[in-house]
Amino acid sequence: MPKNDKPVSTRSNKQSIDQFIHQVRTTPQQGGGQGRLIFALDATASREATWDQACDLQSELFLATRDLGGLAIQLCYYRGFREFRSTAFVTQTSQLLKLMNGVSCLGGRTQISRVLAHAVKETRTQPVKAVVFIGDCCEEPVDELCHTAGELGMLRTPVFMFHEGSDAHARAVFQQVSKLSGGAYAPFDRNSPQVLRDLMAAVAVYASGGAKALQDYSSRSSPEVKRLTQQLR
């Protein structure tokens, strides 16, 4: 699937992030225990630059939740010819960074279906409170992805699809996956790392403490998140 490198407009970005924050705050939250979050990444060649950026920003997932009882995060990624890997759940930023630094990007097709199927399997073993996916395109049958996303919705495991770039097909698919799973969709520009940082932190807070915790977090977060949150009142 060809990729469209046209920049995402500032207005579109803000509207989508606004909608994302709203959806996160209104998504039903599972209670009890330390939050478990799956952090899934497209590690194909087109995402090499943003992989480095994600490595720099991954600490936000832990820092944002340190006062909420913490978070256990599992790294998942795909790359190359049908290579899909998942790690153990870790509870410290240094552990996650070490895992991410051990990965290099390789050319290949997307394997989002395997990410979602893996999330279903993990959730059936022990509840996963959120899945974060970061990618830029989709080269798979949409119906299969939507079916598995619907399973996650039934299991109350929302998927938050963070879309790099402006590929129209990927946007449509990511929006369907997030909606069917009960999660949310938001685009980001690799030249605006603060947007991705805020989005990652928001979902981490949600996974650890629920919608109320996210509302409290937003009240003391970046000016952009505050402005978006105020629009929801």
Side-chain angles (χ1 to χ4, degrees):
M1 174 65 61
K3 297 175 185 177
N4 185 347
D5 294 326
K6 183 180 178 181
V8 179
S9 70
T10 301
R11 181 176 179 182
S12 176
N13 241 350
K14 289 185 176 181
Q15 289 176 338
S16 296
I17 296 170
D18 183 26
Q19 183 182 34
F20 164 80
I21 295 286
H22 172 69
Q23 288 177 282
V24 170
R25 288 179 59 191
T26 56
T27 299
Q29 169 66 8
Q30 304 174 61
Q34 185 180 52
R36 296 207 315 161
L37 181 148
I38 292 177
F39 185 35
L41 295 154
D42 178 334
T44 56
S46 65
R47 300 213 54 260
E48 187 168 7
T50 314
W51 183 278
D52 293 339
Q53 185 182 85
C55 287
D56 291 338
L57 300 181
Q58 57 81 27
S59 61
E60 297 299 322
L61 293 168
F62 294 103
L63 293 175
T65 63
R66 58 187 173 185
D67 297 326
L68 298 171
L71 195 65
I73 298 176
Q74 179 187 67
L75 173 66
C76 293
Y77 64 90
Y78 57 79
R79 64 180 185 173
F81 179 69
R82 294 197 57 78
E83 181 182 356
F84 174 82
R85 298 188 183 277
S86 60
T87 70
F89 281 87
V90 298
T91 57
Q92 296 181 17
T93 184
S94 59
Q95 294 173 307
L96 183 57
L97 181 59
K98 183 177 180 180
L99 293 171
M100 294 183 72
N101 282 337
V103 179
S104 59
C105 295
L106 292 174
R109 292 185 176 276
T110 65
Q111 300 179 57
I112 303 170
S113 61
R114 297 182 73 179
V115 170
L116 300 180
H118 174 76
V120 168
K121 181 180 178 180
E122 284 285 359
T123 299
R124 291 191 185 280
T125 301
Q126 183 179 338
V128 172
K129 297 189 175 179
V131 177
V132 169
F133 173 80
I134 300 178
D136 61 351
C137 69
C138 178
E139 300 159 314
E140 303 165 63
V142 178
D143 289 344
E144 180 182 350
L145 296 177
C146 289
H147 177 80
T148 312
E151 287 188 69
L152 288 168
M154 294 294 291
L155 293 168
R156 298 183 68 184
T157 301
V159 182
F160 298 96
M161 304 292 286
F162 296 164
H163 179 201
E164 177 191 351
S166 57
D167 182 278
H169 176 70
R171 178 174 64 248
V173 175
F174 289 5
Q175 287 174 334
Q176 290 186 61
V177 168
S178 62
K179 181 177 181 179
L180 288 166
S181 69
Y185 163 89
F188 72 94
D189 185 330
R190 72 176 62 183
N191 296 316
S192 303
Q194 183 62 44
V195 173
L196 182 58
R197 175 183 289 112
D198 289 346
L199 294 173
M200 288 168 59
V203 176
V205 168
Y206 165 78
S208 183
K212 177 60 168 61
L214 177 61
Q215 184 175 2
D216 294 341
Y217 166 79
S218 297
S219 68
R220 61 179 186 277
S221 187
S222 67
E224 182 175 27
V225 172
K226 288 180 180 178
R227 288 193 296 269
L228 294 173
T229 303
Q230 288 170 355
Q231 294 177 35
L232 303 176
R233 295 174 182 172

